[in-house]
């Protein structure tokens, strides 16, 4: 799948930067174009892989390149005012070669949280290609203002995109981990999962052709209908072929016992599918009631088989209750591992979102109370001696 990726704000820019690096490392050809948009000059300068001419600084007249200080209403205003500057960078993208736009943003900050929904709305108005969002929720320990920002941004963003894929930092941060180290690891998780998903179906000249192809139309159809999506991932290292008849020769039928070999690969695949669906999802949720799903098995072709994928697909159908479950393989020679990626689209039973909204409502009430109290306290402080002192003007 060929994507035009736009990273909005600090987190969004870093993730798209990581996607470009992943693309170069794996030669997957997912990122057809990459743009970073920010109101903070320092954040744009810190990127390593997005071309300089595709980095857009907005809001210079308002915030002088210093960011919006976690004020996502200001972030949205600046994005509206400077949308033509963002469009200028997008104009250089060969849209006829792109399957979809992906707007990436952290939802807890100011610039991306406010600006990403504005950009998504703008892109949908102009282009016929689907516009997807990838939104990152802040950790619960990041504070009330970030939670409030995320709740407001989430409910706006999800309405403006064709589908919103969500990654929840809360489910991924490890205790005692440094902030920088934590985010680097999280960004690696994001690009690994979405890299395998979007890379499926990409066949180079002379490369392996999948038995059951997953191409961009399968992904687009799974994401169609809108709503919220989450991605599951599980992988297992596979042993290289060896002369003494190791694991690989057992799988590929080196000992002549194809019955055992097929059973072994089938069991491995169904086990990986279960691990991917029931393990840590990018957004933890109950998978029952999922509207649509897509299963991709990636790895050396000799480790993949149709029977295992079919079984995995049927199991997902049973677990989700959905009749719209697509599946296929993505052969990658010399990858050294077999990976299972599951895209669950249209999930509705998401406790984290309910909790986020509840905390945000409480934070909003607290902010309003504190402001009111602050005004009263100032009034009391200044007006104590009002009768004795005259104002200057």
């Amino acid at each position: 799948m060929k994507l035009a990726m736009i990273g909005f704000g600090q987190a969004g820019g870093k993730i798209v930067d990581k996607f470009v690096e992943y693309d170069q490392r794996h030669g997957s050809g997912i990122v057809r174009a990459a743009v970073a948009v920010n109101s903070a000059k320092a954040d744009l300068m810190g990127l390593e892989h997005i071309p300089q001419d595709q980095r857009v600084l907005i809001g210079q007249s308002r915030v002088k390149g210093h960011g919006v200080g976690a004020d996502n209403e200001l972030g949205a205003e600046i994005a509206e005012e400077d949308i033509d500057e963002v469009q200028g960078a997008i104009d250089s993208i060969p849209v006829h070669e792109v399957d979809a736009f992906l707007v990436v943003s952290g939802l807890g900050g100011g610039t991306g949280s406010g600006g990403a929904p504005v950009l998504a709305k703008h892109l949908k108005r102009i282009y016929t290609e689907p516009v997807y969002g990838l939104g990152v929720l802040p950790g619960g320990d990041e504070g009330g203002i970030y939670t409030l920002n995320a709740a407001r941004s989430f409910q706006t963003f999800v309405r403006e995109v064709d589908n919103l894929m969500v990654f929840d930092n809360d489910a991924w941060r490890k205790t005692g981990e440094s902030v920088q180290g934590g985010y680097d690891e999280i960004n690696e998780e994001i690009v690994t999962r979405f890299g395998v998903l979007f890379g499926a179906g990409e066949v180079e000249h002379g490369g392996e052709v999948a038995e059951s192809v997953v191409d961009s139309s399968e992904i687009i159809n799974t994401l169609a209908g809108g709503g919220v999506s989450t991605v599951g991932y599980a992988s297992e290292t596979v042993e290289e072929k060896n002369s003494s008849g190791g694991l690989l020769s057992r799988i590929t039928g080196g000992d002549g016992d194809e019955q055992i070999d097929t059973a072994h690969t089938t069991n491995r695949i169904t086990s990986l599918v279960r691990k991917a669906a029931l393990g840590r999802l990018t957004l933890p949720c109950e998978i029952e009631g999922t509207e649509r799903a897509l299963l991709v098995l990636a790895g050396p072709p000799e480790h993949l088989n149709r029977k295992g994928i079919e079984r995995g697909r049927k199991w997902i159908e049973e677990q989700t209750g959905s009749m719209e479950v697509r599946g296929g393989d993505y052969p990658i020679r010399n990858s050294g591992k077999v990976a299972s990626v599951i895209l669950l689209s249209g999930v509705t039973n998401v406790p984290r979102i309910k909790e986020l909204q509840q905390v945000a409502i409480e934070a909003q009430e607290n902010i309003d109370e504190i402001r009111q109290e602050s005004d009263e306290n100032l009034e009391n402080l200044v007006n104590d001696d009002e009768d004795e002192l005259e104002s200057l003007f």
Side-chain angles (χ1 to χ4, degrees), residues 22 31 90 239-240 271 380:
Y22 173 94
V31 188
I90 294 166
E239 293 170 27
E240 295 301 317
S271 167
N380 291 337

Side-chain angles (χ1 to χ4, degrees), residues 241-281:
K241 197 167 189 173
N242 59 49
S243 54
S244 58
L247 177 66
L248 184 55
S249 60
R250 219 172 57 240
I251 290 169
T252 54
D255 296 330
D257 191 349
E258 297 212 6
Q259 217 63 59
I260 296 170
D261 307 334
T262 309
H264 188 91
T265 40
T266 303
N267 290 341
R268 164 180 269 155
I269 286 168
T270 49
S271 167
L272 277 174
V273 170
R274 288 176 188 229
K275 277 183 192 169
L278 303 176
R280 262 198 305 185
L281 299 168

Side-chain angles (χ1 to χ4, degrees), residues 8-10 37-40 58 67-68 70-72 75-76 79 105 109-116:
F8 217 118
Q10 184 186 32
V37 184
N38 212 316
S39 61
I58 59 170
V68 297
D71 181 346
N72 64 355
S105 168
T111 304
S113 168

